[in-house]
Amino acid sequence: MNEPTSIDLSSTLSDAEPPLVGAAGRRATRAVAVSWGDRKVSIGGGAPVVVQSMTNTDTADAIATAIQVKELAQAGSEMVRITVNTPEAAREVIAIREQLDRMGVNTPLVGDFHYNGHKLLTQFPDCAQALSKYRINPGNMGGGKKRDDNFAQMIEVACRHQKPVRIGVNWGSLDHELMARKMDENSRRAQPWEAQAVMRDALVVSAISNAQRAELLGLPGDAIILSCKVSHVQDLIAVYRDLSSRCDYPLHLGLTEAGMGSKGIVASTAALSVLLQQGIGDTIRISLTPEPGGDRTREVVVAQEILQTMGLRAFTPMVVACPGCGRTSSTFFQELADSIQSYLRRQMLVWRTQYPGVESMNVAVMGCVVNGPGESRHADIGISLPGTGEVPSAPVFVDGERTVTLKGDRIAEEFQTIVENYVVRRYGGQHAQH
């Protein structure tokens, strides 16, 4: 029998490049400022990826819309888009903005315009001024000269009020004339593309050509953001790769009509994570269909968690928890993990200003002795709960050191107190320095 070959790894390891960690270098873009009062949100130009969301209230109901905007802002949405589709909605935008200002919510509002946006922005100048940014879909403005005139009218209003614009094309409303022209060009190719590839190219061409036209009409180049929305993961990845290689405008990422529940979350995460890892994307929105009576803020939480789990931004302390197995027949660790995670997210409303840096804290809630102590030591603060047949005690680890062992029926309350004290002790000093 041959002796096993001995392999010396020392030379290869010492000369090897370190593994890739985090996203590749961010794509260089222009910087666009979206502002209201003293609040300025920077998109592109190397700024952190911005989280945004959209209301699903009737904008004509100013109180309901203002309340939902506040909820989304408190959840962490850095801009909130509202539908402006009727004269009644446009008339109430100034009331929504004033109500938000009275509530101390200075989150910029983005107006979502489609078929009649040119009329509404012109007829309601207070609405045009109260919005911090406009979203325009050129595919919903008619055809030919009518489309060109309507687009020019909206850009003229944006210039007058000095508002940035997102030019957002969508495969469900793509310019029919452009698509027909692209299909004709494709038919003359020696090796024609598939129809899906032609559609993707038409989306990119539409977005860039409309941005260039907006600049010719007087809109500054640093007041333009682009998006190309589709509802299939691979199409979205292909479109944005192409778009990012052909322009330097900041890009808004989002999988349109992503769906409901886990399907919408998984599809959005799959698409956006690939692009973000390649440095593509300057602002994101997760388009989830809420369950009946569901919480609209879920799309904000998902967006934040995508960015945080990829190491691009930090929003709230992260909880590491094991999935459970036959060693953890008790559900106590699941309940504690859920309780702690909910508690941390609620506390961030206060901690965000009182304890800067706390959003990067890691907490571990583990269910048995197999990985519990190790994971707890790696976290800033962690607890290893007893599994099936283990001694009924729960060691707590702080900054890698075992500090106390909890027992009895008040483990949850005692651990939460330990977390509170840790936050004050570790991050309170940073607040004092600020």
Side-chain angles (χ1 to χ4, degrees):
M1 181 180 292
N2 294 329
E3 292 294 323
T5 302
S6 175
I7 301 175
D8 181 7
L9 296 177
S10 58
S11 60
T12 56
L13 288 176
S14 62
D15 296 335
E17 291 292 326
L20 178 65
V21 177
R26 291 283 302 282
R27 165 180 168 269
T29 73
R30 313 178 194 200
V32 176
V34 181
S35 305
W36 182 256
D38 59 0
R39 175 78 177 273
K40 175 183 175 182
V41 178
S42 297
I43 301 175
V49 179
V50 172
V51 172
Q52 59 178 287
S53 57
M54 186 175 184
T55 58
N56 61 356
T57 56
D58 180 358
T59 307
D61 186 341
I63 297 300
T65 302
I67 289 172
Q68 191 173 82
V69 171
K70 180 180 180 180
E71 291 170 348
L72 291 165
Q74 288 181 333
S77 184
E78 292 159 304
M79 294 188 297
V80 178
R81 183 157 44 113
I82 60 176
T83 299
V84 187
N85 58 335
T86 63
E88 293 76 18
R91 192 176 291 113
E92 292 301 317
V93 168
I94 186 66
I96 293 167
R97 182 71 269 174
E98 290 174 347
Q99 178 65 30
L100 289 170
D101 291 343
R102 284 193 294 269
M103 294 189 294
V105 179
N106 60 356
T107 302
L109 292 177
V110 180
D112 193 61
F113 295 96
H114 289 279
Y115 308 97
N116 57 353
H118 58 291
K119 294 181 180 178
L120 298 177
L121 282 172
T122 303
Q123 294 171 2
F124 298 93
D126 285 347
C127 165
Q129 181 57 38
L131 295 168
S132 296
K133 180 163 76 81
Y134 310 151
R135 190 270 186 165
I136 298 175
N137 182 352
N140 286 334
M141 294 184 180
K145 186 176 186 303
K146 178 181 179 182
R147 178 195 60 239
D148 294 343
D149 289 346
N150 293 346
F151 181 81
Q153 196 170 343
M154 295 188 76
I155 296 301
E156 191 276 328
V157 174
C159 293
R160 187 189 318 147
H161 293 280
Q162 298 182 316
K163 304 293 183 178
V165 171
R166 169 160 70 97
I167 297 174
V169 298
N170 189 301
W171 74 341
S173 54
L174 188 56
D175 183 341
H176 296 299
E177 295 172 12
L178 172 63
M179 191 64 190
R181 188 170 71 250
K182 284 292 178 182
M183 284 294 189
D184 288 341
E185 292 173 0
N186 187 55
S187 67
R188 294 192 292 271
R189 288 192 174 99
Q191 294 183 320
W193 297 353
E194 293 183 357
Q196 199 81 346
V198 178
M199 180 275 296
R200 293 195 295 257
D201 182 57
L203 280 169
V204 172
V205 169
S206 177
I208 295 176
S209 62
N210 278 290
Q212 292 172 339
R213 181 157 184 263
E215 287 199 61
L216 289 175
L217 290 167
L219 190 65
D222 61 357
I224 299 173
I225 298 164
L226 297 186
S227 67
C228 290
K229 293 291 194 73
V230 298
S231 55
H232 295 313
V233 170
Q234 294 297 344
D235 286 322
L236 191 81
I237 293 171
V239 164
Y240 273 90
R241 280 176 172 167
D242 189 15
L243 181 61
S244 68
S245 70
R246 293 162 70 173
C247 72
D248 65 348
Y249 297 107
L251 302 183
H252 168 110
L253 298 188
L255 189 72
T256 193
E257 295 104 26
M260 182 181 288
S262 61
K263 185 270 178 185
I265 293 173
V266 170
S268 293
T269 303
L272 270 59
S273 295
V274 170
L275 293 167
L276 290 166
Q277 183 70 16
Q278 296 175 358
I280 299 170
D282 304 284
T283 178
I284 66 172
R285 189 259 171 132
I286 308 301
S287 301
L288 296 181
T289 303
E291 289 82 0
D295 190 347
R296 189 66 167 182
T297 62
R298 190 180 189 192
E299 66 178 45
V300 179
V301 174
V302 173
Q304 290 179 330
E305 289 179 346
I306 290 173
L307 294 174
Q308 186 150 353
T309 54
M310 292 189 68
L312 297 176
R313 291 189 66 182
F315 298 94
T316 191
M318 296 292 282
V319 176
V320 175
C322 64
C325 65
R327 301 184 187 91
T328 56
S329 58
S330 170
T331 61
F332 181 72
F333 83 96
Q334 300 164 346
E335 295 163 357
L336 179 58
D338 181 65
S339 172
I340 288 295
Q341 186 157 280
S342 298
Y343 163 76
L344 293 173
R345 188 166 285 281
R346 289 194 307 272
Q347 289 299 106
M348 281 304 295
L349 292 173
V350 176
W351 286 354
R352 190 175 288 118
T353 54
Q354 287 189 352
Y355 304 111
V358 69
E359 64 274 5
S360 299
M361 182 175 70
N362 291 305
V363 180
V365 179
M366 304 300 293
C368 79
V369 74
V370 174
N371 292 318
E375 288 283 2
S376 297
R377 282 192 176 94
H378 288 142
D380 295 305
I381 182 168
I383 186 170
S384 180
L385 296 162
T388 305
E390 295 177 11
V391 176
S393 61
V396 174
F397 298 81
V398 176
D399 292 331
E401 300 294 330
R402 181 169 177 168
T403 59
V404 67
T405 299
L406 304 180
K407 299 179 181 180
D409 57 5
R410 290 186 55 81
I411 289 177
E413 293 86 347
E414 292 173 3
F415 183 63
Q416 181 170 304
T417 298
I418 292 172
V419 172
E420 291 174 354
N421 292 337
Y422 179 80
V423 169
V424 173
R425 184 175 69 254
R426 177 171 177 180
Y427 301 99
Q430 296 184 33
H431 178 64
Q433 293 172 14
H434 283 64

